[in-house]
Amino acid sequence: MIKGFTRFLQSPGEHIRSLFGPQDASAGNPVLRIIPRQEHPVSRQHFSDAALKVLYRLHNAGHEAFLVGGCIRDSLLGRMPKDFDVATDATPEEVRELFRNSRIIGRRFRIVHVRFGREVIEVTTFRGKPGDDHGDHIAQQSNDGMLLRDNVWGNIEEDALRRDFTINALYYNIADFSIHDFADGVRDIETRTLRLIGDPATRYREDPVRMLRAVRFAAKLDFHLDPASEAPVHELAPLLLQVPPARLFDEVLKLFMSGHGVETFRLLRDYGLFAMLFPEADEAMAQLEWAEPLVERALASTDRRIHEERPVTPAFLFAALLWGPVQLRQRELEDDGMPPIPALQAASQKVISRQLQHVAIPKRFSLPMRDIWDLQQRLPLRRGKRVFQTREHPRFRAAYDFLLVREAAGELAPGLGDWWTAFQDADEHEQRRLLSKVGADPAGTNAPRKRRRRRRKPRKPPTDE
Ligand code: ATP
Ligand code: MG
């Protein structure tokens, strides 16, 4: 929490109102509002040294330099900014020349990353309207209106109107510490409203990821979507199928690994967006009653760990998201006579390869995810040396957590999880006792609740004929 913001936070809405004066009535037609330093609570103390260094060096070289986006929005909400984005009239090449520790990245959006140790400051050049005839002129649009490239330079006002939400178009000027509000973003911060700048459907078509960003910010900031920005989402959700899977992977991580996963997941489902990211998982949720609770519990546990600042891995989450489809597929194969172990292998492979067409999961996460799944078959086998091999497996802990989530979601009858909870912490004597208890269970498996049911053809209802 930012120091000195307690008073601001006690009644954030009121405080902003009193700071910024009465609201402009011309809501539909935003005008630039410059809020001088003495009338807003955002101070340089809230910014990292690296961010300030970048701003001052640009300024001293005669360029305009602003902090923009999430860091100003979050500061106004009394939250500690997570990272810093700088907007400037300097071109990427000019920025590159000012900072030795920088490099130009991206094709779709050329931006400069300036690195200070582990911190990276993102510097973007003001962007203009794609059709405008000034500056470096490289913008491309697909037939659906999707922006493929957007490297047309412009001025700050044009730059503001090209941003996604009004609350993300607030600029902090290093020249005089004022905030420039181009789209009534301050009013929307007060009323906790997410509102796209311009015509919502057009803006979603330009970049369908904005629909995911809407959900992410709504969950994270506890904002609501303005009705006009909400209305087209259901219908336009399928546009996400055209977004490159690698970009969606980055976005999915932000959606689920920011400490508000449960709420985000519910919103994604409500808006029909989840099915565009994880179609098979969405279908499995309609068929298996435990599949949705399993994902919610996995997300809740991830959220908890993030708030406790404990490490989290996306592999665990992906394991939960795709376990439903993997189980459906495994059952089918077993029903066709394949033994369980190869059936799980084949099912995993199939589900992953289909999923990769939507969201690219890198190997560094999909391999541990498969380990977590494989271990689900080994956890019930507790005879002889096996139990110690399982215990020593590098992915044991994640697999054990996953087992607990499966039990809690009602996929498995409880029991095995408790056994492993006790076994892990037990001394040698206690471990022997626990192992002898397994001996009493003839299968040695503590078999999961019987879950395989052959699909029968529904009996035809009697007819009059
Ligand atoms: P956070 O960093 O907390 O996730 P942010 O708003 O800073 O939130 P970034 O992805 O860092 O999000 O983007 C920085 C800024 O760039 C945004 O605030 C917004 O103004 C603009 N922006 C980012 N993505 C888009 C997009 N898809 N369409 C339009 N503007 C965007
Ligand atoms: Mg940011």
Side-chain angles (χ1 to χ4, degrees):
M1 188 59 60
I2 293 177
K3 238 171 77 191
F5 264 68
T6 351
R7 199 173 67 86
F8 179 68
L9 276 179
Q10 275 158 2
S11 57
E14 253 178 56
H15 190 67
I16 294 178
R17 229 186 316 276
S18 63
L19 281 169
F20 299 143
Q23 295 307 297
D24 197 319
S26 59
N29 195 13
V31 285
L32 167 62
R33 204 138 127 240
I34 298 180
I35 303 152
R37 171 63 190 97
Q38 61 277 19
E39 290 177 30
H40 69 72
V42 177
S43 139
R44 273 168 295 165
Q45 285 173 10
H46 309 145
F47 306 144
S48 71
D49 291 345
L52 290 170
K53 232 181 244 173
V54 171
L55 290 170
Y56 278 121
R57 193 170 304 172
L58 285 165
H59 177 71
N60 292 338
H63 295 292
E64 292 181 66
F66 295 81
L67 277 174
V68 63
C71 57
I72 301 307
R73 176 196 73 216
D74 290 351
S75 293
L76 279 169
L77 286 164
R79 294 162 161 258
M80 207 52 164
K82 183 168 68 59
D83 50 36
F84 296 92
D85 301 299
V86 171
T88 177
D89 60 357
T91 63
E93 288 72 20
E94 287 169 331
V95 178
R96 174 76 195 82
E97 287 204 349
L98 281 173
F99 300 95
R100 266 197 312 134
N101 47 334
S102 69
R103 61 194 189 103
I104 299 178
I105 61 153
R107 239 165 62 93
R108 192 168 159 277
F109 289 104
R110 283 173 70 222
I111 58 181
V112 185
H113 274 180
V114 187
R115 182 175 284 281
F116 298 86
R118 286 174 56 191
E119 188 175 355
V120 174
I121 307 295
E122 233 173 68
V123 184
T124 56
T125 305
F126 295 145
R127 280 181 166 74
K129 289 198 218 86
D132 268 10
D133 226 2
H134 57 85
D136 199 343
H137 196 202
I138 321 158
Q140 283 178 12
Q141 233 163 346
S142 76
N143 293 339
D144 300 308
M146 187 149 53
L147 274 179
L148 302 176
R149 286 228 224 164
D150 187 2
N151 288 313
V152 182
W153 312 141
N155 59 36
I156 184 170
E157 181 150 14
E158 291 166 332
D159 187 78
L161 301 179
R162 302 202 41 65
R163 291 182 181 267
D164 47 7
F165 299 97
T166 60
I167 59 167
N168 285 346
L170 296 164
Y171 295 69
Y172 173 94
N173 190 356
I174 198 62
D176 60 5
F177 318 128
S178 63
I179 289 180
H180 293 214
D181 178 0
F182 289 91
D184 272 346
V186 168
R187 179 201 55 189
D188 286 339
I189 283 189
E190 270 184 40
T191 56
R192 306 190 92 79
T193 308
L194 271 169
R195 188 192 314 275
L196 277 171
I197 299 172
D199 172 54
T202 309
R203 303 305 313 279
Y204 290 138
R205 280 182 208 282
E206 276 174 10
D207 182 3
V209 168
R210 288 174 188 150
M211 293 184 272
L212 300 178
R213 289 173 60 85
V215 164
R216 177 156 71 85
F217 293 131
K220 169 176 142 175
L221 305 171
D222 192 20
F223 273 40
H224 68 273
L225 254 169
D226 175 65
S229 298
E230 186 174 45
V233 173
H234 244 285
E235 192 189 327
L236 297 181
L239 291 177
L240 281 171
L241 299 173
Q242 297 171 30
V243 176
R247 182 159 179 232
L248 288 183
F249 172 75
D250 293 342
E251 211 52 45
V252 162
L253 280 196
K254 289 189 204 160
L255 285 164
F256 291 142
M257 309 289 288
S258 311
H260 303 272
V262 174
E263 179 60 16
T264 305
F265 170 67
R266 289 184 186 154
L267 290 172
L268 288 174
R269 292 263 288 161
D270 290 350
Y271 287 124
L273 294 165
F274 182 76
M276 303 303 145
L277 301 171
F278 296 95
E280 294 200 358
D282 194 73
E283 280 165 34
M285 286 174 193
Q287 293 179 51
L288 302 165
E289 58 187 26
W290 51 261
E292 186 170 358
L294 181 113
V295 169
E296 290 217 348
R297 280 171 190 273
L299 285 164
S301 127
T302 303
D303 287 350
R304 225 173 10 250
R305 292 180 74 104
I306 291 170
H307 290 129
E308 291 164 3
E309 296 186 5
R310 287 157 67 201
V312 286
T313 165
F316 182 79
L317 260 187
F318 284 111
L321 284 162
L322 298 178
W323 184 241
V326 166
Q327 285 301 286
L328 285 176
R329 181 86 188 125
Q330 182 182 349
R331 283 181 201 185
E332 265 174 38
L333 294 170
E334 286 187 41
D335 286 348
D336 290 344
M338 200 186 270
I341 292 179
L344 174 61
Q345 297 291 325
S348 307
Q349 194 127 31
K350 187 88 187 168
V351 169
I352 294 173
S353 76
R354 288 209 195 122
Q355 180 58 45
L356 293 182
Q357 296 168 15
H358 299 275
V359 176
I361 307 172
K363 281 247 162 54
R364 68 179 186 282
F365 299 127
S366 64
L367 293 178
M369 171 177 81
R370 289 192 68 162
D371 284 345
I372 293 172
W373 290 342
D374 291 346
L375 279 162
Q376 300 309 303
Q377 287 183 323
R378 283 169 53 175
L379 285 166
L381 310 174
R382 290 158 291 155
R383 285 275 177 78
K385 268 193 280 179
R386 270 209 153 136
V387 70
F388 295 100
Q389 284 167 355
T390 302
R391 176 74 186 83
E392 291 311 311
H393 193 287
R395 228 64 74 183
F396 167 78
R397 185 70 208 190
Y400 157 76
D401 286 341
F402 194 63
L403 172 69
L404 294 183
V405 169
R406 292 173 67 204
E407 289 187 353
E411 182 201 351
L412 300 178
L416 186 57
D418 284 346
W419 189 92
W420 275 107
T421 307
F423 186 81
Q424 284 176 74
D425 300 330
D427 58 20
E428 224 175 290
H429 173 75
E430 177 61 9
Q431 283 188 338
R432 263 202 301 273
R433 198 186 66 77
L434 285 163
L435 286 168
S436 71
K437 256 174 68 179
V438 178
D441 170 10
T445 59
N446 205 357
R449 189 190 285 165
K450 198 162 172 16
R451 57 188 168 82
R452 288 188 45 210
R453 236 175 293 124
R454 287 189 185 273
R455 245 179 282 151
R456 275 202 230 129
K457 281 190 189 148
R459 231 187 274 164
K460 275 198 188 136
T463 59
D464 296 339
E465 286 161 286

